[in-house]
């Protein structure tokens, strides 16, 4: 996170809100994300003039309009590329990319690969509603197999992309998941993302109540949430359930759900979460194939920080290279720089 202290009166969440009318469908999960984003920035005390929010195309990408900060509503899938150029030139800024599962993982998938592997000090909020909402309900890269949409009337034939596995495979240094309807946890994940030095990738489950309502109801509804989700806490055992009656153990390298009330297992037998362990982060990312109804063999969907590590940031290394090059070379004219050492003149015979 990049921020500058101004010594001014601390800002409140409402101070980060613009004067624009918020134009999302009533009941959209984007409202909760916007609210918690503003609250998180207030807690982080980042000056508004030191924030730049870059978005692509989609419902989520309207967010910069509603923020009293700098921002840019850019082009489809290219928010990460634009944010990369901005961060290289203005390292003091706190740069945020706001994107969706379609914008960021379909047309923008290639750009997402490279921002993650380069590890710029940028924060990525990926709103995942498993549908194209702005263009009225076509299936997206994260839509479920067999999902009926306007562009897949017989059911999607595509296997869904797993954003967490994708980010891990691209070499991301901070990878986490939250959901719109758990606002307290969402706010904390946004704050944790901002405090990470490097590219922070936060997937946020967001309900599109018009074109894909209830896509995440198993994980958000009061009756099913406790038994179908697990919240990752550093150094703590993987325990879940309405009465914390379930846990996760590793049977070799295979995660297994166990019941703690049978006497066969205790909390001392359980998997302890360590976000520095990339191998286990990959295993957690694959807690993905959850049926519509949980059973005694189902693995819960994880939320929290899957993985974090420290690695040099791209913009720091790049600018060090530029400084070293400038110090090494003598001052030259523009013409000399353009021709370089490999130019020659063709003479007349």
């Amino acid at each position: 996170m990049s921020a500058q202290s101004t010594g001014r009166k601390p800002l409140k969440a409402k101070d980060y809100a613009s004067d624009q009318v918020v134009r999302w469908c009533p009941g959209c999960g984007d409202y909760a994300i916007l609210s918690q984003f503003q609250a998180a920035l207030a807690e982080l005390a980042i000056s508004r003039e030191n924030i730049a929010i870059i978005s692509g195309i989609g419902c989520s990408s309207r967010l910069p309009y509603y923020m009293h900060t700098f921002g840019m509503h850019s082009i489809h899938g290219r928010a990460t590329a634009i944010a990369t150029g901005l961060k290289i030139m203005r390292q003091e800024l706190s740069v945020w990319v706001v994107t969706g599962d379609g914008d960021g993982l379909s047309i923008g998938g290639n750009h997402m690969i490279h921002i993650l592997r380069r590890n710029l000090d940028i924060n990525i909020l990926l709103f995942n509603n498993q549908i194209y909402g702005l263009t009225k309900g076509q299936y997206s890269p994260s839509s479920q197999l067999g999902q009926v949409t306007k562009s897949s009337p017989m059911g999607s034939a595509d296997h869904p992309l797993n954003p967490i596995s994708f980010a891990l495979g691209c070499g991301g240094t901070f990878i986490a998941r939250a959901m719109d309807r758990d606002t307290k946890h969402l706010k904390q994940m946004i704050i944790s993302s901002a405090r990470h030095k490097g590219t922070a990738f936060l997937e946020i489950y967001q309900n599109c109540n018009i074109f894909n309502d209830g896509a995440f109801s198993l994980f958000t509804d009061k009756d099913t949430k406790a038994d179908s989700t697990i919240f990752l806490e550093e150094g703590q055992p993987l325990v879940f359930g309405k009465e914390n009656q379930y846990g996760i153990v590793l049977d070799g390298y295979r995660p297994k759900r166990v019941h703690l009330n049978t006497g066969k297992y205790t909390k001392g037998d359980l998997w302890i979460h360590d976000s520095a362990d990339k191998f286990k982060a990959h295993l957690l990312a694959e807690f993905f194939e959850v049926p519509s109804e949980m059973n005694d063999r189902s693995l819960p969907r994880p939320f929290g920080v899957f993985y974090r590590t420290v690695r040099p940031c791209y913009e720091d290394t790049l600018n060090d290279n530029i400084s070293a090059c400038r110090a090494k070379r003598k001052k030259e004219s523009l013409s000399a720089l353009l021709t370089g050492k490999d130019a020659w003149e063709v003479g007349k015979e």
Side-chain angles (χ1 to χ4, degrees):
M1 176 189 70
S2 298
Q4 293 179 350
S5 175
T6 63
R8 294 179 294 190
K9 183 180 179 180
L11 296 175
K12 297 180 181 179
K14 65 180 182 180
D15 296 318
Y16 291 90
S18 75
D19 60 356
Q20 299 299 297
V21 176
V22 182
R23 298 188 183 279
W24 285 314
C25 300
C28 175
D30 288 354
Y31 286 95
I33 301 173
L34 173 64
S35 175
Q36 294 312 307
F37 183 42
Q38 292 166 344
L41 291 178
E43 186 166 328
L44 290 162
I46 308 176
S47 301
R48 290 176 301 194
E49 61 269 27
N50 290 323
I51 298 172
I53 304 167
I54 313 299
S55 67
I57 296 297
C59 296
S60 62
S61 294
R62 295 191 60 81
L63 188 139
Y65 291 111
Y66 311 136
M67 297 296 297
H68 189 21
T69 64
F70 290 105
M72 180 179 181
H73 191 176
S74 69
I75 55 179
H76 205 185
R78 272 66 180 179
T80 44
I82 293 168
T84 295
L86 175 62
K87 187 63 180 183
I88 288 170
M89 298 307 298
R90 294 291 303 275
Q91 293 183 60
E92 77 279 10
L93 295 180
S94 177
V95 179
W96 297 77
V97 171
V98 174
T99 185
D101 49 308
D103 179 66
L105 299 176
S106 183
I107 190 170
N110 197 46
H111 293 289
M112 188 68 74
I113 291 171
H114 300 301
I115 197 171
L116 286 165
R117 73 178 179 87
R118 285 173 176 148
N119 193 43
L120 290 103
D121 189 16
I122 283 175
N123 310 290
I124 301 170
L125 304 181
L126 185 136
F127 298 20
N128 184 5
N129 55 21
Q130 297 184 344
I131 201 76
Y132 278 100
L134 186 68
T135 52
K136 306 300 183 285
Q138 298 83 8
Y139 77 96
S140 81
S142 60
S143 295
Q144 295 302 294
L145 185 67
Q147 184 170 333
V148 175
T149 73
K150 291 183 178 179
S151 58
S152 57
M154 303 305 294
S156 171
D158 289 1
H159 184 79
L161 186 148
N162 181 338
I164 299 296
S165 291
F166 171 85
L168 282 165
C170 293
T173 57
F174 179 99
I175 299 163
R177 179 189 287 144
M179 61 179 110
D180 56 3
R181 296 189 181 182
D182 196 324
T183 54
K184 183 178 180 181
H185 181 258
L186 170 59
K187 176 185 171 184
Q188 190 53 53
M189 287 299 99
I190 295 173
I191 290 172
S192 296
S193 298
R195 287 175 174 163
H196 175 71
K197 177 69 172 176
T199 302
F201 180 91
L202 176 60
E203 178 193 17
I204 305 172
Y205 283 178
Q206 175 258 323
N207 190 51
C208 176
N209 59 316
I210 303 300
F211 296 109
N212 200 22
D213 192 26
F216 305 112
S217 59
L218 183 67
F219 313 119
T220 59
D221 287 359
K222 183 179 179 181
D223 293 338
T224 57
K225 178 180 178 180
D227 289 344
S228 62
T229 63
I230 191 164
F231 287 83
L232 306 173
E233 297 182 51
E234 195 70 27
Q236 296 300 312
L238 299 190
V239 176
F240 66 104
K242 292 183 177 68
E243 300 174 355
N244 286 332
Q245 73 272 33
Y246 299 116
I248 302 295
V249 299
L250 279 174
D251 182 7
Y253 62 90
R254 293 180 181 277
K256 185 172 73 172
R257 169 185 178 140
V258 298
H259 205 299
L260 297 175
N261 294 342
T262 62
K264 185 176 180 180
Y265 295 95
T266 68
K267 286 188 177 181
D269 300 314
L270 301 182
W271 174 343
I272 304 298
H273 182 55
D274 177 8
S275 62
D277 190 327
K278 193 170 187 179
F279 174 77
K280 288 185 176 179
H282 278 284
L283 293 179
L284 285 168
E286 292 304 315
F287 287 25
F288 193 65
E289 302 295 341
V290 178
S292 58
E293 294 183 4
M294 298 294 290
N295 57 53
D296 288 339
R297 295 182 301 278
S298 301
L299 295 174
R301 189 66 58 93
F303 293 86
V305 179
F306 287 69
Y307 179 68
R308 74 176 108 208
T309 190
V310 177
R311 201 171 78 224
C313 290
Y314 177 82
E315 66 272 24
D316 295 332
T317 303
L318 179 63
N319 281 286
D320 286 346
N321 289 345
I322 293 171
S323 297
C325 183
R326 285 174 173 169
K328 184 178 180 180
R329 296 176 63 119
K330 64 180 182 180
K331 189 174 181 180
E332 295 180 296
S333 67
L334 177 60
S335 177
L337 287 170
L338 290 174
T339 55
K341 297 178 180 180
D342 297 322
W344 65 89
E345 293 184 10
V346 178
K348 294 182 179 179
E349 293 184 1

